[in-house]
Amino acid sequence: MTRHFLRDDDITGAEQSEILDLAETIKADRWGRKPLAGPQTVAVIFDKSSTRTRVSFAVGIADLGGSPLIISTANSQLGGKESPSDTARVLERQVAAIVWRTYAQSGLEQMALGTTVPVVNALSDDFHPCQLLADLLTIREHKGTLAGLTVTFLGDGASNMAHSYLLAGATAGMHVRVAAPVEFSPADDVVADADARANETGGSVMLFTDPNEAIAGADIVVTDTWVSMGKEGEKAHRVATFGGYQVTTELIGLAKPDALFLHCLPADRGYEVSAEVIDGPQSVIWDEAENRLHAQKALLVWLLERAS
């Protein structure tokens, strides 16, 4: 059966570890795996603008011996005359996998339904699972392990990054804390799914409104932009609401002395994080950005092996 990666909990804890182990191997020997030799083509579709996702997938597919076909939905029939499922039926006859950076999670689910090639969520409004593989790889490199660590996400708890941290962190056996204003709380169903996964792995999930309480003693501190794509009209309200959640030197000082700071980028310095923190000694954002390449290559290898 074809495997897809649409949400962080589409894989088990053991499978997550397999992919991260593979990512470490691939990072150490960048051109050692060529499952796309031929070259085979991978369709990489963009509804949203991108830097890190576009570059990391294009380079990664080439590293694996393949050819990335970058498609903009503005110049295709997808989302216009043609449904995601019909598009997938066309593409599966010509490509080895489909990667899609889009808005609605439902579109990815439609695309994956019944298709014979792996479909990868490169970002949706609800989840950002490829970013979490890179984040977990980065944390594991610096901390040596994932299970038992406490990770605190501060800011928009209803964002795709907060949702993915809940699911991926719980899958890894981590203790995940999300601090957000009540109106920006994570979706109830995502929290329930994360809690169920945490019960299987020994992790935990906790929600906070007080950022000071949430960050106290944390091993990992994470934030993301307060104004995601499509939310620009809410900027004034969001900045006013999230002001107390900015990761400052004082706030991160409540975490453990060796706590790491992560941000998926791009960052609005002076909003969700101060320049002193993002450029400081606890920040591992450049390792994190590089690891998008290695984690996504590992994911593609893992999915392609199962598809074959």
Side-chain angles (χ1 to χ4, degrees), residues 125-176:
D125 287 343
D126 292 339
F127 305 104
H128 200 353
C130 288
Q131 180 66 56
L132 260 291
L133 288 178
D135 285 17
L136 295 179
L137 177 61
T138 306
I139 295 166
R140 200 162 79 159
E141 286 177 339
H142 285 268
K143 294 293 188 182
T145 188
L146 295 174
L149 294 178
T150 297
V151 55
T152 297
F153 180 93
L154 297 139
D156 185 355
S159 67
N160 49 20
M161 281 298 293
H163 285 166
S164 278
Y165 256 99
L166 284 164
L167 294 178
T171 297
M174 302 175 81
H175 302 295
V176 185

Side-chain angles (χ1 to χ4, degrees), residues 128-272:
H128 200 353
C130 288
Q131 180 66 56
L132 260 291
L133 288 178
D135 285 17
L136 295 179
L137 177 61
T138 306
I139 295 166
R140 200 162 79 159
E141 286 177 339
H142 285 268
K143 294 293 188 182
T145 188
L146 295 174
L149 294 178
T150 297
V151 55
T152 297
F153 180 93
L154 297 139
D156 185 355
S159 67
N160 49 20
M161 281 298 293
H163 285 166
S164 278
Y165 256 99
L166 284 164
L167 294 178
T171 297
M174 302 175 81
H175 302 295
V176 185
R177 304 172 181 174
V178 174
V182 172
E183 67 174 294
F184 292 99
S185 296
D188 290 342
D189 60 329
V190 175
V191 174
D193 290 342
D195 191 55
R197 180 58 62 90
N199 287 335
E200 299 171 1
T201 64
S204 65
V205 171
M206 294 185 70
L207 304 183
F208 297 81
T209 55
D210 182 347
N212 297 315
E213 185 181 357
I215 203 172
D219 298 288
I220 315 295
V221 178
V222 189
T223 192
D224 189 17
T225 181
W226 292 341
V227 187
S228 300
M229 283 178 281
K231 306 291 185 181
E232 292 81 4
E234 303 174 15
K235 182 173 182 177
H237 173 63
R238 285 172 169 265
V239 169
T241 304
F242 291 126
Y245 295 82
Q246 183 187 96
V247 183
T248 60
T249 302
E250 293 74 22
L251 186 59
I252 202 170
L254 299 176
K256 289 183 179 177
D258 62 347
L260 302 177
F261 173 75
L262 283 84
H263 190 306
C264 67
L265 303 178
D268 291 323
R269 294 163 184 262
Y271 286 89
E272 70 269 12

